[in-house]
Amino acid sequence: TPSGRIALGHALRESGVRAGDEVLTPAYHCKAMIGPIRWLSARPVLYKVDSALNVDIDDISAKITARSKVLLIVHYFGFPQNLIELQRFCRRHGLVLIEDCAHSFFGEFDARPIGSFGQFAIASTMKFFPVYDGGCLVSSQRAIGHLALRPPGALSEMKAVVNIVERALQYRRLGLFGHLLRLPLQAKTLIWRRLRRQVVAQSGTSLASNAAELADGDEEGFEPAWLDISASRTTRTMVKALSHQRIVERRRHNFQYLLSQLSDLPGGRPLHRVLPEGVVPWVFPMLFDDVDAAYESIDRTGVPIPHFGKFLWPAADPKTCAVSADYSRRLLQFPCHQELSETELSWMAAQIRHALRQLATRSSSRV
């Protein structure tokens, strides 16, 4: 599919979700999860997660009604939920289990692949592969072959290739060759904008040009026009061609390195202090005491700081789930991408350590 949210739209529709149905949804989430639910005129019912981001079964049990149709779970940052327990729970209550594997394209639980326990699982290729679009829908229990998808079109295919090159330039991966490409790519951007304005003027549509642009815009937005479109050929080719084993090994290695460097610092601590076998992390999550000061200090150095859960659906207030409200502020993440070099990892860890120690020194001097 073009994105994870489009895959989720398919999963919900194939689960039989209709107007007025309820989808049990974690209170700690990306707002992109809410868009497909609301597109079907269903109601997201938010449930609690604990401090380790495990789902709260008791809270879910208390919120089940005759309208409850689906239990949507997230394997946060690549760390799996207790899938055996959740599978049994859903069978007992007649719920469809959907695994959101956007953070866990790879990984295992109980010697089985994540994503093989629910009736459906969705994932995002953009978080694990060097591509600019793509999500996927899988099912080990339901037939989904009837969901025929058509190619996105020549312009979108070309844009998928060019955007990969642009991203490589952004992270200085192409050396001298990258400098030679800058002017042609700038010209491409101007031409693309002009073409897009013409298409919008002629058709009256407000469609984004690809799934990545949807993700950069209104996070809750959902474009049903993308439901019958596939990911680009470039994305599908790269997902098949690149070494999955290398991605798994490098991400685990990078996470372990950051764990060794960032575990005993004032004012900040890793969410997970152990990387279990079978876990393939998306990012390295850390909790901060004074998150505003820490973010400002670290961001100034140029270290990338993803922030999953920063913007929650308005119903996710502290009364609904105190952990979600807290983590949406204080839980930041850092890259453990497979293409990070040892030098880059070392530099990143050093910047985070230095920032936190400086903040601790300032705090103690004020006292």
mmCIF file of all heavy atoms in Angstrom, residues 209-242:
data_model
loop_
_atom_site.group_PDB
_atom_site.id
_atom_site.type_symbol
_atom_site.label_atom_id
_atom_site.label_comp_id
_atom_site.label_asym_id
_atom_site.label_seq_id
_atom_site.Cartn_x
_atom_site.Cartn_y
_atom_site.Cartn_z
ATOM 1 N N SER A 209 0.580 14.394 -3.222
ATOM 2 C CA SER A 209 1.194 13.694 -4.350
ATOM 3 C C SER A 209 1.696 12.319 -3.993
ATOM 4 O O SER A 209 1.950 11.511 -4.859
ATOM 5 C CB SER A 209 2.346 14.528 -4.915
ATOM 6 O OG SER A 209 3.310 14.769 -3.900
ATOM 7 N N ASN A 210 1.880 12.014 -2.735
ATOM 8 C CA ASN A 210 2.217 10.645 -2.327
ATOM 9 C C ASN A 210 1.933 10.482 -0.839
ATOM 10 O O ASN A 210 1.577 11.433 -0.147
ATOM 11 C CB ASN A 210 3.677 10.283 -2.664
ATOM 12 C CG ASN A 210 4.673 11.172 -1.966
ATOM 13 O OD1 ASN A 210 4.368 11.743 -0.922
ATOM 14 N ND2 ASN A 210 5.851 11.308 -2.532
ATOM 15 N N ALA A 211 2.079 9.264 -0.375
ATOM 16 C CA ALA A 211 1.733 8.966 1.012
ATOM 17 C C ALA A 211 2.618 9.709 1.990
ATOM 18 O O ALA A 211 2.193 10.067 3.082
ATOM 19 C CB ALA A 211 1.837 7.461 1.256
ATOM 20 N N ALA A 212 3.876 9.930 1.623
ATOM 21 C CA ALA A 212 4.790 10.629 2.527
ATOM 22 C C ALA A 212 4.324 12.054 2.771
ATOM 23 O O ALA A 212 4.437 12.578 3.876
ATOM 24 C CB ALA A 212 6.200 10.615 1.948
ATOM 25 N N GLU A 213 3.770 12.698 1.749
ATOM 26 C CA GLU A 213 3.280 14.050 1.936
ATOM 27 C C GLU A 213 2.056 14.057 2.845
ATOM 28 O O GLU A 213 1.847 14.987 3.614
ATOM 29 C CB GLU A 213 2.947 14.694 0.589
ATOM 30 C CG GLU A 213 4.194 15.014 -0.235
ATOM 31 C CD GLU A 213 3.876 15.832 -1.468
ATOM 32 O OE1 GLU A 213 2.764 16.406 -1.533
ATOM 33 O OE2 GLU A 213 4.733 15.893 -2.355
ATOM 34 N N LEU A 214 1.247 13.014 2.760
ATOM 35 C CA LEU A 214 0.130 12.903 3.698
ATOM 36 C C LEU A 214 0.646 12.839 5.124
ATOM 37 O O LEU A 214 0.106 13.462 6.031
ATOM 38 C CB LEU A 214 -0.695 11.645 3.393
ATOM 39 C CG LEU A 214 -1.549 11.670 2.120
ATOM 40 C CD1 LEU A 214 -2.166 10.301 1.907
ATOM 41 C CD2 LEU A 214 -2.612 12.734 2.189
ATOM 42 N N ALA A 215 1.722 12.077 5.326
ATOM 43 C CA ALA A 215 2.272 11.916 6.670
ATOM 44 C C ALA A 215 2.855 13.213 7.182
ATOM 45 O O ALA A 215 2.893 13.456 8.388
ATOM 46 C CB ALA A 215 3.356 10.834 6.663
ATOM 47 N N ASP A 216 3.329 14.088 6.278
ATOM 48 C CA ASP A 216 3.920 15.344 6.699
ATOM 49 C C ASP A 216 2.873 16.412 6.970
ATOM 50 O O ASP A 216 3.172 17.453 7.523
ATOM 51 C CB ASP A 216 4.880 15.870 5.614
ATOM 52 C CG ASP A 216 6.124 15.010 5.512
ATOM 53 O OD1 ASP A 216 6.426 14.333 6.505
ATOM 54 O OD2 ASP A 216 6.768 15.021 4.459
ATOM 55 N N GLY A 217 1.643 16.153 6.553
ATOM 56 C CA GLY A 217 0.614 17.158 6.711
ATOM 57 C C GLY A 217 -0.265 16.865 7.907
ATOM 58 O O GLY A 217 0.202 16.602 9.012
ATOM 59 N N ASP A 218 -1.574 16.892 7.695
ATOM 60 C CA ASP A 218 -2.529 16.627 8.762
ATOM 61 C C ASP A 218 -2.443 15.153 9.135
ATOM 62 O O ASP A 218 -2.885 14.285 8.388
ATOM 63 C CB ASP A 218 -3.931 16.984 8.282
ATOM 64 C CG ASP A 218 -5.002 16.641 9.302
ATOM 65 O OD1 ASP A 218 -4.644 16.342 10.451
ATOM 66 O OD2 ASP A 218 -6.191 16.679 8.943
ATOM 67 N N GLU A 219 -1.929 14.860 10.319
ATOM 68 C CA GLU A 219 -1.650 13.477 10.672
ATOM 69 C C GLU A 219 -2.913 12.638 10.784
ATOM 70 O O GLU A 219 -2.880 11.439 10.600
ATOM 71 C CB GLU A 219 -0.858 13.414 11.978
ATOM 72 C CG GLU A 219 0.568 13.886 11.817
ATOM 73 C CD GLU A 219 1.410 13.562 13.034
ATOM 74 O OE1 GLU A 219 0.837 13.196 14.075
ATOM 75 O OE2 GLU A 219 2.626 13.692 12.937
ATOM 76 N N GLU A 220 -4.042 13.281 11.120
ATOM 77 C CA GLU A 220 -5.271 12.501 11.237
ATOM 78 C C GLU A 220 -5.943 12.326 9.881
ATOM 79 O O GLU A 220 -6.835 11.515 9.725
ATOM 80 C CB GLU A 220 -6.227 13.192 12.219
ATOM 81 C CG GLU A 220 -7.390 12.320 12.634
ATOM 82 C CD GLU A 220 -8.365 13.048 13.531
ATOM 83 O OE1 GLU A 220 -7.927 13.888 14.332
ATOM 84 O OE2 GLU A 220 -9.569 12.763 13.421
ATOM 85 N N GLY A 221 -5.502 13.100 8.884
ATOM 86 C CA GLY A 221 -6.125 13.044 7.568
ATOM 87 C C GLY A 221 -6.016 11.668 6.943
ATOM 88 O O GLY A 221 -5.052 10.950 7.144
ATOM 89 N N PHE A 222 -7.036 11.312 6.181
ATOM 90 C CA PHE A 222 -7.055 10.009 5.531
ATOM 91 C C PHE A 222 -7.645 10.193 4.143
ATOM 92 O O PHE A 222 -8.723 10.757 3.983
ATOM 93 C CB PHE A 222 -7.902 9.028 6.343
ATOM 94 C CG PHE A 222 -7.940 7.643 5.763
ATOM 95 C CD1 PHE A 222 -6.883 6.774 5.940
ATOM 96 C CD2 PHE A 222 -9.039 7.217 5.024
ATOM 97 C CE1 PHE A 222 -6.913 5.495 5.402
ATOM 98 C CE2 PHE A 222 -9.074 5.940 4.479
ATOM 99 C CZ PHE A 222 -8.005 5.085 4.672
ATOM 100 N N GLU A 223 -6.914 9.754 3.121
ATOM 101 C CA GLU A 223 -7.344 9.931 1.739
ATOM 102 C C GLU A 223 -7.821 8.582 1.170
ATOM 103 O O GLU A 223 -7.015 7.762 0.740
ATOM 104 C CB GLU A 223 -6.192 10.471 0.888
ATOM 105 C CG GLU A 223 -5.807 11.907 1.215
ATOM 106 C CD GLU A 223 -6.753 12.922 0.580
ATOM 107 O OE1 GLU A 223 -7.776 12.494 0.009
ATOM 108 O OE2 GLU A 223 -6.477 14.115 0.664
ATOM 109 N N PRO A 224 -9.124 8.313 1.163
ATOM 110 C CA PRO A 224 -9.625 7.031 0.654
ATOM 111 C C PRO A 224 -9.316 6.810 -0.818
ATOM 112 O O PRO A 224 -9.343 5.666 -1.286
ATOM 113 C CB PRO A 224 -11.132 7.110 0.911
ATOM 114 C CG PRO A 224 -11.439 8.544 1.160
ATOM 115 C CD PRO A 224 -10.206 9.153 1.716
ATOM 116 N N ALA A 225 -8.988 7.867 -1.559
ATOM 117 C CA ALA A 225 -8.644 7.701 -2.976
ATOM 118 C C ALA A 225 -7.384 6.872 -3.166
ATOM 119 O O ALA A 225 -7.126 6.363 -4.256
ATOM 120 C CB ALA A 225 -8.463 9.071 -3.632
ATOM 121 N N TRP A 226 -6.584 6.711 -2.097
ATOM 122 C CA TRP A 226 -5.352 5.919 -2.189
ATOM 123 C C TRP A 226 -5.587 4.446 -1.877
ATOM 124 O O TRP A 226 -4.664 3.634 -1.947
ATOM 125 C CB TRP A 226 -4.303 6.481 -1.231
ATOM 126 C CG TRP A 226 -3.675 7.735 -1.741
ATOM 127 C CD1 TRP A 226 -4.102 9.018 -1.522
ATOM 128 C CD2 TRP A 226 -2.509 7.844 -2.563
ATOM 129 N NE1 TRP A 226 -3.274 9.911 -2.159
ATOM 130 C CE2 TRP A 226 -2.291 9.221 -2.808
ATOM 131 C CE3 TRP A 226 -1.641 6.914 -3.124
ATOM 132 C CZ2 TRP A 226 -1.238 9.680 -3.589
ATOM 133 C CZ3 TRP A 226 -0.585 7.373 -3.891
ATOM 134 C CH2 TRP A 226 -0.398 8.737 -4.130
ATOM 135 N N LEU A 227 -6.814 4.071 -1.547
ATOM 136 C CA LEU A 227 -7.071 2.694 -1.121
ATOM 137 C C LEU A 227 -6.838 1.662 -2.216
ATOM 138 O O LEU A 227 -6.518 0.513 -1.931
ATOM 139 C CB LEU A 227 -8.508 2.569 -0.595
ATOM 140 C CG LEU A 227 -8.728 3.069 0.836
ATOM 141 C CD1 LEU A 227 -10.207 3.248 1.107
ATOM 142 C CD2 LEU A 227 -8.105 2.114 1.845
ATOM 143 N N ASP A 228 -7.019 2.048 -3.474
ATOM 144 C CA ASP A 228 -6.835 1.070 -4.549
ATOM 145 C C ASP A 228 -5.506 1.258 -5.271
ATOM 146 O O ASP A 228 -5.317 0.762 -6.380
ATOM 147 C CB ASP A 228 -7.997 1.143 -5.543
ATOM 148 C CG ASP A 228 -8.045 2.468 -6.302
ATOM 149 O OD1 ASP A 228 -7.418 3.441 -5.824
ATOM 150 O OD2 ASP A 228 -8.702 2.528 -7.359
ATOM 151 N N ILE A 229 -4.565 1.971 -4.638
ATOM 152 C CA ILE A 229 -3.259 2.234 -5.242
ATOM 153 C C ILE A 229 -2.177 1.494 -4.460
ATOM 154 O O ILE A 229 -2.257 1.379 -3.235
ATOM 155 C CB ILE A 229 -2.974 3.747 -5.278
ATOM 156 C CG1 ILE A 229 -4.018 4.434 -6.172
ATOM 157 C CG2 ILE A 229 -1.570 4.036 -5.780
ATOM 158 C CD1 ILE A 229 -3.908 5.933 -6.194
ATOM 159 N N SER A 230 -1.179 1.020 -5.151
ATOM 160 C CA SER A 230 -0.089 0.284 -4.505
ATOM 161 C C SER A 230 1.064 1.215 -4.158
ATOM 162 O O SER A 230 1.103 2.372 -4.596
ATOM 163 C CB SER A 230 0.424 -0.821 -5.437
ATOM 164 O OG SER A 230 1.190 -0.246 -6.494
ATOM 165 N N ALA A 231 1.989 0.708 -3.390
ATOM 166 C CA ALA A 231 3.263 1.398 -3.192
ATOM 167 C C ALA A 231 3.983 1.471 -4.533
ATOM 168 O O ALA A 231 3.688 0.716 -5.466
ATOM 169 C CB ALA A 231 4.112 0.654 -2.170
ATOM 170 N N SER A 232 4.938 2.373 -4.629
ATOM 171 C CA SER A 232 5.680 2.515 -5.876
ATOM 172 C C SER A 232 6.486 1.251 -6.178
ATOM 173 O O SER A 232 6.827 0.478 -5.276
ATOM 174 C CB SER A 232 6.625 3.710 -5.789
ATOM 175 O OG SER A 232 7.647 3.465 -4.833
ATOM 176 N N ARG A 233 6.792 1.065 -7.443
ATOM 177 C CA ARG A 233 7.610 -0.078 -7.849
ATOM 178 C C ARG A 233 8.991 -0.007 -7.195
ATOM 179 O O ARG A 233 9.570 -1.026 -6.823
ATOM 180 C CB ARG A 233 7.750 -0.106 -9.372
ATOM 181 C CG ARG A 233 8.499 -1.313 -9.910
ATOM 182 C CD ARG A 233 8.592 -1.257 -11.423
ATOM 183 N NE ARG A 233 7.283 -1.279 -12.040
ATOM 184 C CZ ARG A 233 6.608 -2.390 -12.307
ATOM 185 N NH1 ARG A 233 7.123 -3.568 -12.002
ATOM 186 N NH2 ARG A 233 5.419 -2.334 -12.883
ATOM 187 N N THR A 234 9.510 1.214 -7.035
ATOM 188 C CA THR A 234 10.819 1.396 -6.392
ATOM 189 C C THR A 234 10.800 0.852 -4.970
ATOM 190 O O THR A 234 11.695 0.112 -4.554
ATOM 191 C CB THR A 234 11.202 2.883 -6.379
ATOM 192 O OG1 THR A 234 11.266 3.368 -7.711
ATOM 193 C CG2 THR A 234 12.539 3.090 -5.690
ATOM 194 N N THR A 235 9.760 1.203 -4.219
ATOM 195 C CA THR A 235 9.651 0.719 -2.845
ATOM 196 C C THR A 235 9.533 -0.799 -2.807
ATOM 197 O O THR A 235 10.226 -1.476 -2.038
ATOM 198 C CB THR A 235 8.441 1.368 -2.152
ATOM 199 O OG1 THR A 235 8.736 2.747 -1.910
ATOM 200 C CG2 THR A 235 8.125 0.683 -0.827
ATOM 201 N N ARG A 236 8.667 -1.364 -3.652
ATOM 202 C CA ARG A 236 8.467 -2.814 -3.636
ATOM 203 C C ARG A 236 9.742 -3.555 -4.026
ATOM 204 O O ARG A 236 10.054 -4.601 -3.463
ATOM 205 C CB ARG A 236 7.303 -3.180 -4.571
ATOM 206 C CG ARG A 236 5.946 -2.763 -3.996
ATOM 207 C CD ARG A 236 4.782 -3.131 -4.888
ATOM 208 N NE ARG A 236 4.652 -2.202 -5.997
ATOM 209 C CZ ARG A 236 4.576 -2.556 -7.258
ATOM 210 N NH1 ARG A 236 4.642 -3.841 -7.595
ATOM 211 N NH2 ARG A 236 4.437 -1.651 -8.203
ATOM 212 N N THR A 237 10.494 -2.981 -4.952
ATOM 213 C CA THR A 237 11.746 -3.599 -5.369
ATOM 214 C C THR A 237 12.785 -3.558 -4.257
ATOM 215 O O THR A 237 13.454 -4.559 -3.968
ATOM 216 C CB THR A 237 12.307 -2.893 -6.623
ATOM 217 O OG1 THR A 237 11.356 -3.016 -7.684
ATOM 218 C CG2 THR A 237 13.623 -3.510 -7.054
ATOM 219 N N MET A 238 12.896 -2.409 -3.593
ATOM 220 C CA MET A 238 13.914 -2.260 -2.552
ATOM 221 C C MET A 238 13.605 -3.115 -1.326
ATOM 222 O O MET A 238 14.502 -3.670 -0.695
ATOM 223 C CB MET A 238 14.071 -0.788 -2.174
ATOM 224 C CG MET A 238 14.650 0.050 -3.295
ATOM 225 S SD MET A 238 15.048 1.745 -2.810
ATOM 226 C CE MET A 238 16.536 1.474 -1.857
ATOM 227 N N VAL A 239 12.333 -3.239 -0.992
ATOM 228 C CA VAL A 239 11.960 -4.080 0.154
ATOM 229 C C VAL A 239 12.371 -5.529 -0.088
ATOM 230 O O VAL A 239 12.806 -6.234 0.830
ATOM 231 C CB VAL A 239 10.447 -3.962 0.439
ATOM 232 C CG1 VAL A 239 9.995 -5.037 1.414
ATOM 233 C CG2 VAL A 239 10.116 -2.579 0.989
ATOM 234 N N LYS A 240 12.240 -5.976 -1.328
ATOM 235 C CA LYS A 240 12.624 -7.350 -1.657
ATOM 236 C C LYS A 240 14.134 -7.509 -1.797
ATOM 237 O O LYS A 240 14.702 -8.547 -1.451
ATOM 238 C CB LYS A 240 11.946 -7.779 -2.959
ATOM 239 C CG LYS A 240 10.437 -7.933 -2.843
ATOM 240 C CD LYS A 240 9.829 -8.308 -4.199
ATOM 241 C CE LYS A 240 8.320 -8.433 -4.102
ATOM 242 N NZ LYS A 240 7.711 -8.731 -5.425
ATOM 243 N N ALA A 241 14.804 -6.475 -2.336
ATOM 244 C CA ALA A 241 16.213 -6.622 -2.713
ATOM 245 C C ALA A 241 17.186 -6.424 -1.557
ATOM 246 O O ALA A 241 18.239 -7.073 -1.516
ATOM 247 C CB ALA A 241 16.550 -5.640 -3.840
ATOM 248 N N LEU A 242 16.860 -5.531 -0.621
ATOM 249 C CA LEU A 242 17.808 -5.224 0.451
ATOM 250 C C LEU A 242 17.876 -6.359 1.463
ATOM 251 O O LEU A 242 16.909 -7.087 1.683
ATOM 252 C CB LEU A 242 17.410 -3.926 1.145
ATOM 253 C CG LEU A 242 17.488 -2.667 0.261
ATOM 254 C CD1 LEU A 242 16.978 -1.452 1.012
ATOM 255 C CD2 LEU A 242 18.914 -2.430 -0.211
#
